[in-house]
């Protein structure tokens, strides 16, 4: 992969957390389509990154705490990296649960709420390994889960048999690897390392008693708005997507092996984010009879290089452009879908809908 593109991709994923300078900033499906004879989960535990984080990063400098994030839902910044709801919200609603409470607000809401909904341990910008952001990686997130179980009687292994887990790995590990190691290290060996660690994490969640685990494959990272801008938001970067496909191939293969080894305990399902996103980008998927006219163009973006959605300059002046109607955009910012985009993507995630 061209090093400049790789570095740009890395920086964009990092920028997505802290936009600009120091300020660095739909439709909700209420219908349950799952089969009624399935035993629905009583709790949902969430691990991962900004595709599922619903408010764990409380520091004001996070872009998810800046206007215009949250303008669709709940009407102000909520810590979600979108204009509104994200994957977690749609997954929880689908199985008949409230969205799990973010782990970092436990002191504010109390343990009782945790017991009712499950917990969201995901932090934007994180990976299965450490990234350049000082937030808990997935191993540490699972540590939190284990500590809450044992220390506060959040749930027992018996309780967890009726629980489900949603695990998001959307590419932040590769960002840090690219920045740290440059073009000399081949990316494919590192992809193997990342996938192996995902399997370790999934196995551990299963050993803690969770019976159903949904893990995301990578979405088409080459279709992020930054790489489609040169083509007027019409063409994806296939070089980047080829590495994505390799990751997804290895993940499916590894999960199949894991399920064979743990067939009497937990079951893991891979969510085809690549297929879901591409079905929308390529116009195969219509949601609510609507079409994303320019699916690769973000709703919110910086006015020039160095600025991103939510950025302000030294005088507090807005340095971003915001579209008139987020419902007509698939991407919200450089890397995250809109609420409407997530609604459309979730409706295309057959693995979740078939198994939960």
């Amino acid at each position: 992969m061209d090093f400049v593109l790789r570095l740009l991709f890395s920086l964009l994923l990092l920028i997505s957390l802290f936009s600009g300078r120091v300020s660095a900033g739909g439709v909700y499906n209420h219908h349950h389509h799952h089969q009624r004879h399935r035993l629905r989960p009583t709790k949902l535990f969430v691990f991962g990154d900004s595709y599922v984080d619903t408010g764990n990063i409380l520091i004001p400098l996070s872009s998810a705490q800046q206007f215009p994030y949250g303008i669709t839902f709940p009407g102000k910044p909520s810590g979600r990296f979108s204009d509104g709801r994200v994957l977690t919200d749609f997954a929880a609603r689908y199985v008949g649960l409230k969205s799990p409470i973010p782990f970092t607000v436990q002191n504010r809401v109390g343990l009782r709420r945790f017991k009712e909904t499950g917990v969201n341990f995901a932090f934007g910008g994180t990976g299965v390994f450490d990234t350049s952001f000082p937030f808990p990686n997935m191993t540490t997130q699972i540590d939190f889960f284990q500590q809450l179980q044992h220390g506060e009687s959040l749930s027992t292994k018996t309780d967890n048999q009726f629980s489900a887990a949603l695990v998001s790995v959307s590419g932040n590990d590769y960002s840090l690897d690219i920045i740290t190691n440059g073009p000399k290290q081949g990316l494919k060996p590192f992809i193997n390392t990342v996938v192996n660690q995902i399997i370790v994490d999934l196995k551990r969640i299963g050993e803690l008693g969770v019976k159903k685990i949904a893990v995301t494959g990578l979405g088409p990272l080459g279709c992020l708005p930054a790489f489609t801008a040169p083509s007027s938001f019409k063409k994806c970067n296939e070089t980047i997507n080829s590495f994505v496909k390799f990751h997804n191939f290895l993940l499916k293969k590894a999960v199949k092996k894991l399920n064979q080894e743990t067939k009497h305990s937990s079951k893991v399902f891979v969510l085809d984010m690549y297929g879901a996103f591409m079905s929308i980008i390529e116009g195969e998927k219509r949601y609510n009879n609507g079409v994303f006219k320019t699916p690769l163009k973000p709703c919110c973006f910086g006015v020039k290089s160095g600025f991103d959605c939510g950025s302000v300059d030294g005088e507090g002046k807005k340095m971003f452009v915001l579209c008139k109607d987020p419902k007509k955009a698939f991407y919200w910012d450089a890397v995250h879908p809109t609420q409407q985009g997530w609604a459309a993507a979730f409706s295309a995630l057959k693995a979740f809908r078939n198994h939960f």
Side-chain angles (χ1 to χ4, degrees):
M1 193 190 306
D2 180 82
F3 176 59
V4 176
L5 283 176
R6 289 165 61 188
L7 184 60
L8 177 61
F9 168 53
S10 311
L11 293 173
L12 276 166
L13 281 179
L14 300 181
I15 287 169
S16 72
L17 267 176
F18 296 87
S19 56
R21 48 156 201 98
V22 294
S23 70
V27 172
Y28 188 36
N29 190 346
H30 287 271
H31 302 291
H32 296 189
H33 299 289
H34 54 278
Q35 297 178 36
R36 295 293 177 181
H37 67 266
R38 286 201 190 101
L39 190 62
R40 295 192 304 181
T42 56
K43 294 188 187 75
L44 181 64
F45 297 105
V46 183
F47 307 88
D49 48 43
S50 58
Y51 274 13
V52 291
D53 185 356
T54 54
N56 271 316
I57 300 176
L58 303 177
I59 56 176
L61 295 184
S62 169
S63 62
Q65 298 290 354
Q66 304 288 325
F67 175 84
Y69 287 77
I71 58 170
T72 301
F73 173 85
K76 61 182 180 179
S78 67
R80 290 170 172 83
F81 290 84
S82 183
D83 66 307
R85 296 174 177 89
V86 296
L87 180 59
T88 298
D89 301 298
F90 289 98
R93 177 64 186 169
Y94 185 77
V95 296
L97 295 173
K98 292 180 180 178
S99 203
I101 302 294
F103 173 70
T104 54
V105 302
Q106 59 178 313
N107 293 332
R108 200 183 310 164
V109 301
L111 190 65
R112 183 177 176 182
R113 284 288 302 277
F114 272 27
K115 288 183 175 181
E116 291 173 354
T117 65
V119 187
N120 188 335
F121 298 97
F123 285 78
T126 63
V128 293
F129 299 119
D130 286 339
T131 65
S132 61
F133 291 100
F135 303 124
N137 67 21
M138 195 169 292
T139 297
T140 306
Q141 292 175 25
I142 300 171
D143 288 343
F144 292 154
F145 179 40
Q146 189 169 0
Q147 289 161 12
L148 274 181
Q149 276 189 300
H150 295 163
E152 301 289 347
S153 300
L154 169 68
S155 59
T156 64
K157 277 195 175 183
T158 304
D159 292 333
N160 288 345
Q161 290 180 8
F162 304 104
S163 300
L166 174 61
V167 180
S168 173
V169 183
S170 58
N172 292 324
D173 292 286
Y174 301 125
S175 310
L176 183 61
D177 180 62
I178 290 165
I179 288 175
T180 305
N181 298 309
K184 293 181 181 178
Q185 163 149 355
L187 194 55
K188 285 193 173 183
F190 188 65
I191 292 175
N192 270 292
T193 304
V194 170
V195 169
N196 288 339
Q197 184 60 42
I198 293 172
I199 297 301
V200 169
D201 293 337
L202 294 174
K203 189 173 182 180
R204 190 172 163 213
I205 293 169
E207 287 171 348
L208 288 169
V210 179
K211 291 300 184 184
K212 285 186 178 182
I213 305 169
V215 60
T216 63
L218 288 182
L221 301 180
C223 297
L224 295 177
F227 300 116
T228 62
S231 65
S232 300
F233 304 108
K234 288 184 173 65
K235 188 178 180 182
C236 299
N237 184 300
E238 295 306 327
T239 307
I240 296 173
N241 281 348
S242 68
F243 284 97
V244 169
K245 290 174 183 175
F246 181 65
H247 169 104
N248 289 340
F249 169 77
L250 291 183
L251 180 63
K252 288 176 185 174
K253 185 178 177 182
V255 165
K256 183 178 180 181
K257 182 181 177 184
L258 176 63
N259 281 332
Q260 290 170 346
E261 294 172 352
T262 60
K263 56 186 176 183
H264 297 301
S265 51
S266 61
K267 182 77 172 176
V268 180
F269 308 96
V270 177
L271 301 182
D272 182 13
M273 304 295 281
Y274 191 95
F277 279 36
M278 288 306 293
S279 69
I280 295 160
I281 290 167
E282 293 173 351
E284 295 169 7
K285 184 70 184 176
R286 300 290 182 264
Y287 184 73
N288 265 12
N289 298 318
V291 180
F292 297 108
K293 302 292 185 185
T294 52
L296 299 177
K297 184 177 181 179
C299 174
C300 185
F301 52 92
V303 296
K304 59 182 178 180
S305 179
F307 294 99
D308 197 34
C309 182
S311 294
V312 295
D313 64 13
E315 299 175 351
K317 179 184 176 183
K318 289 191 296 185
M319 298 300 290
F320 59 90
V321 176
L322 183 64
C323 70
K324 291 182 179 179
D325 187 2
K327 293 187 184 71
K328 294 181 179 178
F330 176 67
Y331 281 109
W332 166 246
D333 59 15
V335 293
H336 306 101
T338 59
Q339 172 174 295
Q340 187 77 15
W342 274 124
F346 184 77
S347 72
L349 290 173
K350 294 185 177 68
F352 195 96
R353 303 170 75 82
N354 289 342
H355 296 290
F356 286 84

